[in-house]
Amino acid sequence: MINLSVARLAQIMVLAIVAVILAYQSIHSIRANAWYFNARNTLQQLSSPVDAAQLTRAEAAITLATKLEPTHPHYWHIYANVKILIASNVDGITAQGSDKKQLLYQQAEQALLTSVALRQTWAPTWITLAQLVSYQQGPSEQVYGYIQQAKKVGPHQLDVHLGIIHIALMHWPQLPANYKALYVNALQLAVKHGYRFNAVFALAKKINRLEILCLTLQFSEGFAPVRASYHFKKHCKTPR
């Protein structure tokens, strides 16, 4: 009888310890999620031009989220996005600025690698990783591999198509043939998204590559719906 009581007491103690651990983990998850939403909301409210103070707040919030829940892949993805945004506002002309930008890129890359290690089937992370590494290496084999991973897990996602188009247009002067094939294919797939193709024009305009995009769209019957669109007529001046 005594042994039975001791066994029951031991079971109760084990269950109590498990409950405490679960409660602790739950509190951590709740706090991490709150900091994540704090960072996300701050990013959504960014002014133009970007306010450095807003980025600092977003960086602090998402850093706390990753510390509280370091196995959450999306937190690492957002952390990387914040680092990339900060880097885009750093003057890379001076040696000090160049070093700071490189450090931010390295931190972002490590965060994205952590994210894909935790969640390998999330295409936006793979294509963001490809874009980030392309800033440093250009259209390299490593970047090409990341693009292929993004296409594998998200073959129909517009974000993937846009990322490929962005990489190709950014590095157009030194773009190898295999990348040009990716670029044309991404455009063809983006056409299938209908009015959302307008994002391609916005992207090309932002990086001053409208001329290249418009020239590409002049060819292939597959781009006929785009050539008939308002945005094509607005951005692409065709000779009469």
Side-chain angles (χ1 to χ4, degrees):
M1 193 72 179
I2 293 176
N3 288 338
L4 184 60
S5 298
V6 171
R8 286 179 176 174
L9 180 60
Q11 289 177 341
I12 292 171
M13 290 179 66
V14 170
L15 290 173
I17 292 170
V18 170
V20 170
I21 293 172
L22 290 175
Y24 177 78
Q25 291 176 337
S26 178
I27 291 171
H28 259 56
S29 293
I30 292 170
R31 289 179 61 202
N33 200 43
W35 284 116
Y36 157 72
F37 276 106
N38 182 303
R40 195 187 75 168
N41 291 338
T42 301
L43 291 177
Q44 290 176 341
Q45 296 167 12
L46 281 177
S47 57
S48 183
V50 174
D51 183 349
Q54 287 179 297
L55 279 180
T56 299
R57 288 196 297 273
E59 181 184 24
I62 198 61
T63 298
L64 278 171
T66 58
K67 286 181 178 179
L68 287 167
E69 200 165 2
T71 59
H72 199 302
H74 199 58
Y75 295 169
W76 287 111
H77 185 125
I78 299 301
Y79 177 93
N81 284 345
V82 171
K83 292 293 184 178
I84 293 169
L85 277 171
I86 295 172
S88 69
N89 284 277
V90 172
D91 183 1
I93 296 177
T94 65
Q96 184 179 5
S98 179
D99 289 344
K100 183 177 180 180
K101 187 183 285 281
Q102 187 62 30
L103 176 61
L104 288 163
Y105 281 158
Q106 290 172 357
Q107 291 172 337
E109 183 178 354
Q110 187 55 54
L112 290 170
L113 289 171
T114 300
S115 182
V116 295
L118 293 167
R119 181 180 56 183
Q120 297 181 7
T121 57
W122 191 248
T125 305
W126 284 112
I127 199 63
T128 301
L129 184 57
Q131 289 174 282
L132 173 63
V133 176
S134 79
Y135 297 155
Q136 305 164 78
Q137 298 182 3
S140 67
E141 285 300 315
Q142 184 178 4
V143 172
Y144 190 86
Y146 290 148
I147 290 173
Q148 292 303 320
Q149 284 293 332
K151 285 169 65 67
K152 179 180 177 181
V153 298
H156 306 297
Q157 293 188 25
L158 182 60
D159 284 345
V160 173
H161 311 329
L162 290 174
I164 294 169
I165 294 165
H166 179 260
I167 291 169
L169 290 176
M170 278 291 295
H171 303 286
W172 190 261
Q174 67 267 34
L175 203 65
N178 59 341
Y179 270 88
K180 288 183 179 179
L182 280 177
Y183 163 69
V184 173
N185 178 251
L187 283 173
Q188 291 169 339
L189 292 172
V191 171
K192 297 179 180 180
H193 289 267
Y195 74 92
R196 296 179 69 196
F197 187 90
N198 299 339
V200 178
F201 287 111
L203 182 159
K205 183 178 181 181
K206 185 176 181 180
I207 60 175
N208 197 28
R209 291 291 192 272
L210 268 175
E211 185 177 352
I212 295 169
L213 173 64
C214 291
L215 182 62
T216 308
L217 296 175
Q218 293 285 353
F219 305 98
S220 176
E221 193 60 30
F223 299 136
V226 178
R227 291 196 292 270
S229 70
Y230 163 78
H231 284 275
F232 179 85
K233 295 170 184 176
K234 175 184 177 183
H235 296 294
C236 303
K237 307 298 183 182
T238 56
R240 294 182 179 273

